[in-house]
């Protein structure tokens, strides 16, 4: 019997297991240091493989939809931070100071790549534009996210120094391996595409490693004593409200501006998502080690909610196409 799409996927269940493991057996001392080194290497390999996998032909094909890309970037790096600022008093009232900052950090992150493209394809949207838009968001986020964090999340409070220091650090960890993968794409691109399952394994493993090390440090600092169940429920509601507002804005905005249904689908799925794959290493760079677990908790909850909601939306978009036999607005 097939699992309903609204239920957590296998990766989410493993993620919950890793958080539980870190809560019961947090990494400390030399073990924690070893995990740090392994995690850094895994993240570099992950972004190298993404660079090697990304087809330049798809990038060129998607670049012509500049209006779509500008709108997606506007939602990702404009609307999300604006909503974060507007909801900041609510976050401060209902959540702990650390979780409130985590919600603001969530609003500054780039869009996810794999799931945005997968949902766009499932809903029969403009896949080429989704590849270009989601990838551009991920790369631009290397520069924009640290600036946004330094401006309105923790002004003057980045653990690694200035926003420019953070940009350079993130470029070294994420952008440099990605650029190297793009450079070597003619040589290794075919191999990476043939071993897509390996890419997915590296992707998920790197996230699990960072989550384990981050939550280990947070648990040692007393994470769960600061996050009672009512606050966890309030955090879930806050993530649901934020996602609902953005989904409504992306849908309404794309229709108001006259985009066809294929492009609307791309805008909805690329403009409403936040990347766990990029957010985890960025949090590791931007915040002090004991804070990272708290910073990631809103992102982890939002990530699962967006997957479940977008799975339902993709099915609805796809059914509309199937039943009518044509793309309808």
């Amino acid at each position: 019997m097939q699992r309903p799409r609204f239920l957590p996927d296998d990766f989410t269940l493993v993620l919950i297991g890793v958080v539980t493991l870190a809560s019961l057996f947090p990494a400390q001392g030399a073990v924690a240091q070893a995990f740090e080194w392994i995690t850094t290497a895994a993240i570099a390999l992950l972004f190298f493989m993404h660079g090697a996998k990304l087809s330049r032909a798809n990038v060129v094909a998607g670049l012509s939809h500049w209006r779509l890309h500008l709108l997606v970037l506007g939602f990702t790096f404009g609307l999300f931070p604006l909503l974060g600022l507007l909801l900041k008093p609510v976050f401060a009232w209902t959540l702990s100071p650390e979780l409130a900052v985590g919600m603001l950090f969530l609003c500054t992150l780039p869009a996810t790549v794999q799931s945005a493209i997968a949902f766009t394809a499932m809903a029969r949207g403009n896949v080429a534009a989704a590849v270009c838009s989601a990838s551009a968001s991920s790369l631009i986020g290397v520069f924009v996210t640290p600036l946004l964090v330094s401006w309105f999340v923790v002004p003057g409070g980045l653990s690694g120094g200035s926003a420019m220091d953070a940009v350079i650090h993130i470029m070294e960890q994420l952008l440099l391996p990605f650029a190297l993968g793009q450079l070597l794409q003619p040589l290794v691109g075919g191999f990476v595409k043939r071993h897509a399952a390996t890419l997915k394994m590296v992707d998920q493993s790197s996230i699990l490693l960072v989550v384990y090390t981050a939550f280990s440090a947070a648990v040692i600092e007393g994470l769960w004593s600061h996050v009672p169940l009512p606050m966890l429920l309030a955090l879930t509601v806050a993530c649901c409200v934020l996602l609902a507002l953005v989904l409504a804005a992306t849908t309404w905005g794309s229709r108001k501006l006259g985009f066809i249904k294929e492009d609307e689908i791309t805008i909805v799925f690329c403009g409403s998502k936040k990347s766990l794959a990029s957010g985890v290493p960025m949090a590791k760079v931007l915040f002090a080690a004991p804070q990272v677990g708290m910073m990631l908790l809103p992102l982890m909850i939002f990530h699962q909610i967006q997957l479940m909601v977008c799975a339902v939306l993709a099915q609805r978009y796809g059914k509309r196409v199937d039943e009518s036999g044509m793309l309808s607005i």
Side-chain angles (χ1 to χ4, degrees):
M1 182 177 179
Q2 187 177 11
R3 176 189 298 172
R5 290 188 177 275
F6 60 82
L7 292 179
D9 57 12
D10 292 338
F11 177 66
T12 300
L13 295 177
V14 175
L15 194 62
I16 294 172
V18 168
V19 172
T20 304
L21 181 64
S23 301
L24 298 175
F25 306 103
Q28 302 182 56
V31 175
Q33 187 62 53
F35 269 104
E36 288 283 345
W37 293 337
I38 295 171
T39 300
T40 301
I43 291 171
L45 178 60
L46 165 65
F47 278 84
F48 171 81
M49 294 177 70
H50 277 306
K53 182 182 178 183
L54 183 60
S55 169
R56 295 180 189 177
N58 283 336
V59 173
V60 172
L63 283 174
S64 61
H65 297 275
W66 60 270
R67 290 177 64 244
L68 181 150
H69 302 318
L70 287 178
L71 186 60
V72 169
L73 291 174
F75 284 129
T76 302
F77 298 114
L79 178 64
F80 259 109
L82 178 61
L83 288 175
L85 285 175
L86 293 176
L87 294 172
K88 188 175 180 179
V90 179
F91 296 155
W93 177 56
T94 58
L95 305 173
S96 69
E98 295 86 357
L99 291 178
V101 172
M103 286 297 298
L104 295 179
F105 171 64
L106 159 68
C107 292
T108 68
L109 290 172
T112 186
V113 178
Q114 292 99 322
S115 57
I117 296 170
F119 285 131
T120 300
M122 186 189 305
R124 298 188 182 182
N126 190 334
V127 177
V131 170
C132 185
S133 188
S135 301
S137 174
S138 183
L139 294 178
I140 291 172
V142 170
F143 305 96
V144 174
T145 295
L147 296 176
L148 290 174
V149 170
S150 67
W151 287 341
F152 82 97
V153 178
V154 283
L158 291 181
S159 66
S162 68
M164 188 53 61
D165 292 335
V167 169
I168 294 172
H169 197 168
I170 290 173
M171 286 178 63
E172 291 173 349
Q173 287 200 358
L174 309 185
L175 188 58
L176 188 59
F178 183 92
L180 183 60
Q182 268 286 288
L183 184 64
L184 297 178
Q185 200 244 1
L187 298 176
V188 301
F191 176 83
V192 171
K193 290 178 181 178
R194 288 193 301 270
H195 296 80
T198 302
L199 175 61
K200 184 177 182 180
M201 183 179 68
V202 173
D203 188 347
Q204 296 182 348
S205 298
S206 63
I207 293 172
L208 294 175
L209 281 169
V210 177
V211 167
Y212 177 71
T213 54
F215 270 83
S216 292
V219 167
I220 292 172
E221 293 293 322
L223 167 66
W224 295 120
S225 63
H226 302 303
V227 187
L229 181 59
M231 188 174 295
L232 196 60
L233 294 175
L235 177 61
T236 303
V237 171
C239 290
C240 289
V241 170
L242 181 62
L243 180 60
L245 290 174
V246 176
L247 284 173
T250 51
T251 303
W252 179 84
S254 58
R255 294 178 181 179
K256 194 71 174 177
L257 293 173
F259 285 95
I260 63 173
K261 181 62 68 176
E262 288 176 300
D263 291 343
E264 175 194 323
I265 291 169
T266 302
I267 293 166
V268 168
F269 289 128
C270 292
S272 64
K273 289 185 167 297
K274 290 297 181 178
S275 173
L276 188 65
S278 295
V280 166
M282 284 183 177
K284 188 169 173 284
V285 172
L286 295 173
F287 301 102
Q291 294 179 306
V292 174
M294 294 289 275
M295 296 300 105
L296 291 179
L297 195 55
L299 176 58
M300 290 171 60
I301 291 175
F302 185 88
H303 179 78
Q304 179 55 37
I305 293 171
Q306 73 182 6
L307 289 181
M308 292 189 294
V309 172
C310 288
V312 175
L313 285 178
Q315 285 185 311
R316 291 186 60 186
Y317 272 123
K319 286 180 180 178
R320 288 176 63 183
V321 173
D322 290 338
E323 291 171 359
S324 64
M326 57 187 295
L327 293 172
S328 60
I329 299 179

